Amino acid sequence: MQLTLWTYEGPTHVGAMRIATSMQDVHYVLHAPQGDTYADLLFTMIERRNKRPPVTYTTFQARDLGGDTAGLVIKSLQEAYDRFQPKAMLVGESCTAELIQDQPGSLAEGMDIPVPVVPLELPSYSKKENWAASETFYYLVRNLLAAQAKAPVEKNQSAQPKANILGPTALGFRCRDDIEEIKKLLISLGVEINVVAPEGASVADLQRIPEADFNICLYPEIAQTTCKWLERTFKQPMVKTVPIGIGATLDFIREVGEVANLDVSDALDSEQSRMPWYSRSIDSTYLTGKRVFIFADATHALAAARIAKEELGFDVVGLGTYSREFARDVREAAEQYGIKALITDDYLEVERCVAEAEPELVLGTQMERHIAKRLGVPCAVISSPVHVQDFPASYSPQMGFEGANVIFDTWVHPLMMGLEEHLLTMFRDDFEFHDGTAPSHLGSAAELRTDDSAEATTVNTESVVSWAIDAEKELKKIPFFVRGKAKKNTETYAQQQGIQQISVETLYDAKAHFGR
């Protein structure tokens, strides 16, 4: 197990907690030491849920290790059932408890608890959070539908096709708003919503899953395993397209139309998002060809790459994921863009790759936000893991037509604000900024900010070659988000040519040499 300051995914018990917390009447008994209760804060402080997760910890301490820790499991299970009266229970262990080998799942199966008890076998030292969430959802659904799987009941034919929306969970990126957006879209197509799970679902809801005509795998990291089992067992087709971006949303509508045997031509012909118009506008020509580096969970990384390339005209110079279970999909996508995929859970490796690619925009998790800040590059967060600011109180979906509007604003505004800051820096020596006749609308801090940003983004000030004063002034006219690249290329060119002091002519010669 690699020791690190940051991790993209938590341990497996956090994945199981996400499923339990998402649902209404499921309780999770976790065999864990006292310190593992920190995970509650992910939901109450980061996601800002109004109640703590439905988890009972055995909270064994060091002094308990010499005694009967298995007895703690049995006692905690019985007390949790008596107190909370859940309709189903999950039983598992944290990475620390796994070393004790008390096997809480087996202990639970030997007890006389009158509700379904689902033991979780989640290897903490080889797997992580998203995989565990997927397995927990799969185990729970399969256990609750075991009787129906043996003797599937004939579906009642209705005028409207029914769909299950599967995959949204607690701690998921914008899941709350994505659900509402996809519900509205499906209803407009004439599809009835049967069950949304695990987010907001009850045990009774999960038992109604076979009543639907098809399943929508909204978040493959969580729902794909379950959807495949439902497809095999109950002959429910799976809609695989994730509707993030205009192109993917239209593909999603087509796929729903095919699966549900519906005429969706009206929905395909109507332009319900402002994003295509913005992308075609004259102001967006500034964005064409911007170099973008993408690193996220597989679902959002793949969607972001498609939007960046096909809908905004960006140049994808980096694509990667920490979701190793979907590495093949990301590698195949990266090949289409002529780059090599980055599959890693080491944020330091990601930082090195971002620095080498020298992008003008980074799309990633909260860790890429920190990386981009250190490198002086604009960044937009597109995927978990995220911090509290990425669980907004306002309606901010990523999916569907409205989600495309939100994405456009989220990605493009950092670049446009970068242009504004560049112009302020470029014209800071103009007399209008110094004679007091036209003060900045930003107030007295404006001049300080433009100076600070110019200095902060001029990297590697100590170099083998020196810069003439007029060349330094010309360098500061280059937008701050590409200034580091221009400076590095110019110094490299000067060293190759044996130039000791860089002049304005050297700067432009280097620009011509490197073709940028």
Side-chain angles (χ1 to χ4, degrees):
M1 182 179 289
Q2 183 179 7
L3 296 178
T4 183
L5 296 174
W6 296 92
T7 58
Y8 287 97
E9 295 183 83
T12 53
H13 70 268
V14 172
M17 284 181 68
R18 288 175 59 184
I19 303 302
T21 305
S22 300
M23 298 193 61
Q24 294 180 23
D25 47 17
V26 173
H27 198 84
Y28 182 28
V29 176
L30 179 61
H31 193 28
Q34 199 168 25
D36 280 348
T37 57
Y38 77 91
D40 281 10
L41 298 178
L42 295 172
F43 303 92
T44 58
M45 187 174 77
I46 304 300
E47 192 178 17
R48 297 187 287 198
R49 294 220 163 203
N50 58 2
K51 58 183 180 180
R52 67 176 294 273
V55 180
T56 294
Y57 302 88
T58 59
T59 56
F60 60 82
Q61 302 178 52
R63 64 172 177 266
D64 297 319
L65 297 178
D68 183 17
T69 51
L72 278 175
V73 176
I74 296 172
K75 178 183 177 184
S76 298
L77 273 163
Q78 190 62 55
E79 289 179 350
Y81 175 75
D82 293 342
R83 178 181 177 187
F84 298 105
Q85 294 291 301
K87 297 294 192 299
M89 300 185 74
L90 302 171
V91 183
E93 56 194 344
S94 72
C95 52
T96 308
E98 189 178 325
L99 300 174
I100 305 174
Q101 298 183 346
D102 281 331
Q103 298 181 325
S106 299
L107 294 172
E109 288 178 323
M111 296 178 63
D112 187 22
I113 295 178
V115 296
V117 177
V118 182
L120 301 177
E121 298 294 335
L122 305 174
S124 301
Y125 293 95
S126 59
K127 297 293 184 179
K128 293 189 177 180
E129 176 185 330
N130 280 335
W131 178 88
S134 174
E135 288 293 294
T136 301
F137 185 46
Y138 167 68
Y139 285 142
L140 184 58
V141 170
R142 186 164 180 169
N143 184 288
L144 294 175
L145 298 181
Q148 297 183 54
K150 292 177 181 177
V153 179
E154 194 73 23
K155 295 189 185 74
N156 293 324
Q157 297 298 321
S158 60
Q160 268 190 314
K162 289 184 179 181
N164 297 316
I165 300 175
L166 304 181
T169 68
L171 285 184
F173 187 69
R174 308 291 171 86
C175 286
R176 176 199 68 190
D177 300 336
D178 285 347
I179 293 170
E180 295 306 313
E181 193 65 22
I182 298 308
K183 277 184 178 180
K184 288 189 293 185
L185 180 57
L186 290 172
I187 291 171
S188 72
L189 297 175
V191 176
E192 181 182 343
I193 311 300
N194 184 51
V195 169
V196 177
E199 181 61 49
S202 65
V203 168
D205 289 331
L206 295 190
Q207 291 171 331
R208 292 193 299 108
I209 284 178
E211 296 175 12
D213 297 298
F214 63 98
N215 295 310
I216 293 171
C217 186
L218 206 59
Y219 299 95
E221 283 88 350
I222 307 300
Q224 184 169 278
T225 300
T226 301
C227 285
K228 287 182 176 180
W229 181 77
L230 292 170
E231 192 170 37
R232 293 192 305 269
T233 306
F234 295 99
K235 311 306 178 188
Q236 292 176 314
M238 170 175 51
V239 174
K240 300 177 183 178
T241 304
V242 180
I244 301 179
I246 296 297
T249 299
L250 294 175
D251 289 346
F252 173 81
I253 292 172
R254 292 187 190 97
E255 191 174 356
V256 169
E258 292 173 4
V259 170
N261 194 25
L262 292 171
D263 181 5
V264 295
S265 54
D266 289 343
L268 293 173
D269 292 338
S270 62
E271 191 170 283
Q272 302 178 42
S273 172
R274 290 182 290 275
M275 181 178 176
W277 181 87
Y278 286 138
S279 298
R280 293 193 299 265
S281 69
I282 188 65
D283 290 336
S284 286
T285 58
Y286 162 73
L287 305 171
T288 304
K290 291 297 181 191
R291 296 163 55 82
V292 61
F293 192 102
I294 302 166
F295 190 88
D297 67 31
T299 295
H300 289 90
L302 293 171
R306 178 177 178 178
I307 295 169
K309 185 67 176 179
E310 298 179 10
E311 299 176 25
L312 293 176
F314 292 165
D315 183 14
V316 179
V317 297
L319 177 61
T321 184
Y322 57 84
S323 304
R324 293 185 180 275
E325 292 80 13
F326 294 84
R328 177 179 296 177
D329 298 331
V330 176
R331 287 193 178 101
E332 289 175 356
E335 288 179 4
Q336 296 176 10
Y337 303 114
I339 55 179
K340 183 180 179 181
L342 175 63
I343 312 297
T344 183
D345 58 2
D346 184 351
Y347 72 96
L348 293 175
E349 185 179 358
V350 176
E351 183 169 10
R352 285 193 295 271
C353 291
V354 173
E356 291 172 2
E358 296 178 326
E360 293 151 283
L361 175 67
V362 174
L363 303 173
T365 72
Q366 68 161 331
M367 293 198 283
E368 280 66 52
R369 174 167 43 209
H370 293 298
I371 289 170
K373 186 175 181 180
R374 285 194 293 273
L375 297 174
V377 181
C379 178
V381 174
I382 64 167
S383 158
S384 298
V386 296
H387 214 304
V388 62
Q389 68 202 77
D390 293 304
F391 289 102
S394 60
Y395 186 64
S396 301
Q398 297 290 286
M399 296 185 178
F401 293 114
E402 185 59 29
N405 292 334
V406 173
I407 286 172
F408 183 89
D409 290 343
T410 306
W411 297 11
V412 169
H413 286 173
L415 287 170
M416 300 304 286
M417 293 302 100
L419 175 62
E420 178 183 275
E421 188 156 343
H422 157 59
L423 293 174
L424 288 172
T425 302
M426 182 175 177
F427 292 106
R428 66 181 182 168
D429 292 327
D430 193 286
F431 71 94
E432 291 185 357
F433 282 81
H434 293 281
D435 66 357
T437 59
S440 169
H441 69 283
L442 297 176
S444 58
E447 181 179 345
L448 177 62
R449 178 171 178 174
T450 56
D451 288 343
D452 289 345
S453 63
E455 295 302 322
T457 53
T458 304
V459 297
N460 191 20
T461 53
E462 293 184 9
S463 57
V464 177
V465 295
S466 62
W467 286 74
I469 294 175
D470 58 344
E472 284 187 335
K473 288 182 178 179
E474 195 69 16
L475 178 67
K476 289 177 181 179
K477 293 179 182 179
I478 298 173
F480 72 92
F481 43 82
V482 291
R483 192 178 302 147
K485 180 180 178 68
K487 186 175 189 294
K488 178 182 176 182
N489 285 348
T490 304
E491 290 175 347
T492 299
Y493 175 79
Q495 291 171 353
Q496 291 173 350
Q497 301 297 319
I499 298 172
Q500 297 299 315
Q501 187 177 63
I502 295 173
S503 64
V504 175
E505 289 76 14
T506 309
L507 179 61
Y508 283 98
D509 288 344
K511 181 178 183 296
H513 176 76
F514 287 102
R516 284 188 62 82

